[in-house]
Amino acid sequence: MKRLTLYLLAMVAALVIALPLLLMLMNSFKGVAEAQQGFLTLPREPSFVAWRLAWEKLHGSFGISLMLAVPAVLLSALLAAVNGFVLCKYRFRGERWVGLLLVLAFFLPIKVYLLPLAITMARLGLDRSLGLLIAIHVIYSLPLALFFRNHFLAFPDELLQAARLDGAGFWRLLWRVVLPLSRPIFVVVLILQFTTIWNEYLFGLVFGPEDARPITAALAQLSAQTETGARAYPLEMAAALLAAAPTLVVYLLAGRHFTRGLVAGAVKG
């Protein structure tokens, strides 16, 4: 009885969470006039017009977001792994202060960084570009080193010492021993970073080039109105679903690995 109750509660929670997504999907196949009549009815004559228009408006930004997310995710994850390994297994002056600053930075909202970054970029004479946006995301993700640090605490020092006795230096130790044993937490960081960078809006709007906006910035500026001035809700919903599709696919394909990685990285430290 207890298990049945838990299953029923889980099903209700899943339906509540999925209901907005289902309503958006259902209304994205309607015409503008039909969508104006009500959101809770099934489309009488399903149409892909809204999806075609949404893709025409967003396909360029879709590619820009891929060009931004892939290198930014890989670089930030690798940098976080290196920093986490140093913080965990090496001792240096001020290491506790570095860890404390990373914890503080982890909880600061993104809006706190906008003005200092804008002033710094202006004084350095850096123009808005995709490369600058990638660099900002990589720098902003430095606190992810804490994920790797907690994971590396479970590594026995004897294993690392044995590798050093065999002649392994820092980079060989990292690439040949540490990272191959860190796949679960690496998957967690990759998924978190991809979701964060793909869905991030403010950095893309402020620091992205005018002619190469990420998909979230382009979505926010999407003018979804018909010639009569009515809101084109099907177009807006199809565009929002297109923008969300990559993160949904990532979670559907790697969701179980994400859960396993979180459990594997749950080490006290």
Side-chain angles (χ1 to χ4, degrees), residues 30-42:
K30 295 180 180 180
V32 175
E34 186 180 356
Q36 293 284 342
Q37 296 173 3
F39 287 95
L40 300 180
T41 58
L42 292 172

Side-chain angles (χ1 to χ4, degrees), residues 137-243:
H137 278 294
V138 172
I139 296 171
Y140 179 73
S141 62
L142 286 176
L144 291 174
L146 297 173
F147 282 86
F148 286 97
R149 176 189 176 277
N150 291 339
H151 180 75
F152 293 152
L153 287 173
F155 280 24
D157 292 333
E158 292 79 8
L159 175 64
L160 302 179
Q161 187 63 31
R164 291 191 182 98
L165 290 175
D166 289 338
F170 175 84
W171 293 109
R172 186 177 178 185
L173 188 66
L174 183 69
W175 287 105
R176 297 293 182 87
V177 179
V178 175
L179 290 184
L181 296 175
S182 305
R183 291 178 182 175
I185 195 63
F186 211 87
V187 171
V188 169
V189 172
L190 288 177
I191 294 175
L192 284 176
Q193 273 298 88
F194 182 82
T195 304
T196 301
I197 294 175
W198 185 271
N199 293 326
E200 199 282 319
Y201 166 68
L202 285 177
F203 282 163
L205 181 66
V206 176
F207 301 107
E210 290 287 347
D211 57 343
R213 292 286 177 85
I215 194 165
T216 48
L219 181 63
Q221 296 178 336
L222 180 66
S223 178
Q225 291 185 346
T226 62
E227 294 180 358
T228 60
R231 291 290 295 275
Y233 290 114
L235 172 59
E236 292 181 344
M237 293 182 182
L241 289 172
L242 277 176

Side-chain angles (χ1 to χ4, degrees), residues 6 8-9 32 46 61 65 103 133 146 170 176 184 193-194 209 245:
L6 291 175
L8 289 176
L9 289 175
V32 175
S61 296
S65 286
V103 172
L133 201 54
L146 297 173
F170 175 84
R176 297 293 182 87
Q193 273 298 88
F194 182 82

